[in-house]
């Protein structure tokens, strides 16, 4: 399982893309998707919602369990991935690509986001 | 289930790991949860075939001239009446009628000696409780209760392709083997009790073999099933398969706080059998109670939306709690979330209006349906 180098990661297993015009994309990692099993339902924040770093902003439901979705950063949601709402299995099949969850205009971010190498070590431990 | 000691491993443990299985603690056993996608495994069993390791199940052998009489006393079913080579679904209850476990009892056959031998298969989580109860209840009977949990590995082949797969590996008369029957034979050169049972709603077989033969048999079955879509399957899809088939699971639909009558399974209690049995008086009362004042009914619920009901969630109607979900999952076959739930009789009829499930604070609409959700075409 390889975690793309250009992304940063939270200890809640979200990934965050580098910002373009102040907006970053958020998803969950392949490690998290594998641990969840088949994702069957996602509830995402709405466009315009304020999200806070480390706080719940949605939920991911798999065959066996339901998990909270946390935001890795604080900011305003600018877009949500309707494709993944319609086809939650994208979270499993393409967690770093078509399975992205939402975009956020960042106002604040925690200092402890991990690099790909750090996250790989963290999620293996 | 939490576990204090070391997890137990089946004879197939190394094989599961080599297949990349995600493992889980199940009743103190480290068992395969899934190998890849549990949804794909589920669909393979419905359409082709799946191979399961069920070695955590608890086998207890009961032998001796009064083996049948002991089981008639200890269990609620008519076990003495089971013919050699057949099997029966039954329950073991406490004196107060509460369900200790649901069981399958095989009466072994073929030879005169074997016909007074029974194999009781208990759920992994209850195996010790059932063993203790049978041992205690055997006092005064000319019968021996033997803990055979370590004597068997259990492999199951389930799905429409399973008869063909097994036929390529055995001379046993599978066409003559009915549902809920078992016969001794040889599969891929390995001595096995071949039973036409399962917990998936599909045709299929359960193969009880010595643990030292488990890997060889698994590999032979894998090879025989290669061309017809057989895949290894974990306990996750076994749970969604049994849920679609409306089969109860101990700890969810069944518990010591329910009698078989409360669980809608009063038919397994055979009052007409000779002699006393543990729980008879309490079960008589439970039957009468159920007659006069219908208890909550086990029903099926099908979601209109996509949120999944989980065990313990409240069933609601008109702002009132009218029941509780006992098992819930997204159904790969129906393509919608489904659940089993105990609901008040007033809301139990299929099509009852206004029934919902409280999913973390939001009342999601559900349709009440009769169980099972899925019945295979024969």
């Amino acid at each position: 399982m390889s975690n793309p180098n250009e992304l940063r990661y939270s200890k809640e297993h979200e990934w965050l893309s580098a910002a373009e015009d102040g907006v970053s994309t958020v998803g969950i990692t392949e490690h998290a998707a594998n641990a969840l099993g088949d994702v069957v339902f996602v509830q995402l924040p709405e466009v315009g919602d304020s999200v806070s770093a480390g706080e719940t902003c949605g939920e991911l439901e798999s065959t066996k369990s339901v998990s909270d979705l946390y935001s890795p950063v604080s900011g305003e949601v600018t877009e949500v991935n309707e494709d993944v709402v319609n086809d939650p299995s994208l979270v499993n099949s393409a967690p770093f690509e078509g399975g992205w969850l939402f975009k956020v205009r960042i106002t604040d971010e925690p200092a402890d986001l991990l690099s790909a190498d750090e996250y790989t070590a963290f999620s293996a431990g | 289930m939490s576990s204090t000691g070391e997890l137990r491993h089946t004879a197939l443990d190394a094989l599961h790991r080599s297949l990349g299985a995600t493992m889980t603690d199940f009743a103190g056993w480290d068992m395969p949860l899934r190998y890849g996608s549990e949804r794909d495994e589920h669909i393979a069993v419905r359409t082709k075939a799946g191979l399961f390791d069920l070695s955590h199940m608890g086998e207890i052998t009961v032998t001796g001239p009064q083996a049948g009489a002991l089981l008639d006393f200890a269990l609620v079913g008519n076990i003495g009446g089971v013919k050699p080579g057949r099997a029966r679904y039954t329950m073991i209850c406490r004196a107060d009628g509460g369900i200790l476990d649901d069981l399958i009892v095989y009466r072994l056959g073929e030879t005169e000696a074997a016909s007074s031998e029974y194999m009781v298969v208990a759920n992994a989580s209850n195996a010790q409780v059932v063993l203790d109860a049978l041992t205690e209840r055997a006092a005064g009977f000319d019968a021996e209760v033997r803990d055979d949990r370590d004597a068997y590995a259990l492999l199951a082949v389930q799905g429409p392709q399973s008869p063909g797969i097994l036929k390529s590996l055995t001379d046993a008369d599978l066409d003559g083997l009915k549902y809920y029957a078992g016969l001794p034979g040889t599969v891929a050169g390995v001595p096995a009790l071949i039973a036409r049972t399962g917990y998936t709603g599909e045709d299929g077989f359960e193969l009880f073999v010595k643990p030292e033969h488990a890997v060889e048999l698994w590999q032979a079955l894998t090879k025989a099933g290669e061309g017809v879509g057989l895949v290894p399957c974990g306990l996750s899809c076994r749970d969604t398969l049994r849920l679609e088939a409306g089969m109860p699971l101990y700890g969810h639909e069944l518990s010591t706080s329910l009698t078989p009558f409360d669980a809608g399974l009063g038919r397994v209690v055979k009052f007409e059998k000779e002699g006393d049995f543990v729980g008879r008086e309490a079960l008589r009362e439970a039957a009468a109670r159920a007659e006069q004042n219908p208890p909550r009914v086990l029903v099926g619920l099908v979601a209109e939306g996509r949120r999944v009901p989980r065990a313990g969630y409240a069933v609601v109607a008109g702002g009132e709690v009218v029941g509780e979900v006992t098992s819930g999952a997204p159904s790969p076959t129906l393509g919608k979330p489904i659940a089993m739930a105990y609901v008040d009789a007033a809301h139990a009829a299929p099509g009852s209006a206004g029934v919902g499930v409280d999913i973390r604070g939001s009342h999601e609409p559900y349709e009440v349906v009769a169980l099972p959700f899925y019945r295979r075409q024969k």
Side-chain angles (χ1 to χ4, degrees), chain B residues 31-52:
Chain B
M31 299 300 293
L33 183 64
R34 52 190 156 84
Y35 298 83
S37 154
E38 59 247 314
R39 185 174 173 278
D40 292 349
E41 292 169 19
H42 180 112
I43 292 167
V45 173
R46 287 274 178 263
T47 59
K48 293 166 183 153
L51 178 57
F52 296 83

Side-chain angles (χ1 to χ4, degrees), chain B residues 348-359:
Chain B
S352 289
V355 173
V357 176
D358 183 339
I359 298 189

Side-chain angles (χ1 to χ4, degrees), chain B residues 110 170 172 183-187 190-194:
Chain B
E110 294 259 295
T170 183
L183 59 81
T186 302
V187 181
V190 167
L193 172 68
I194 306 167

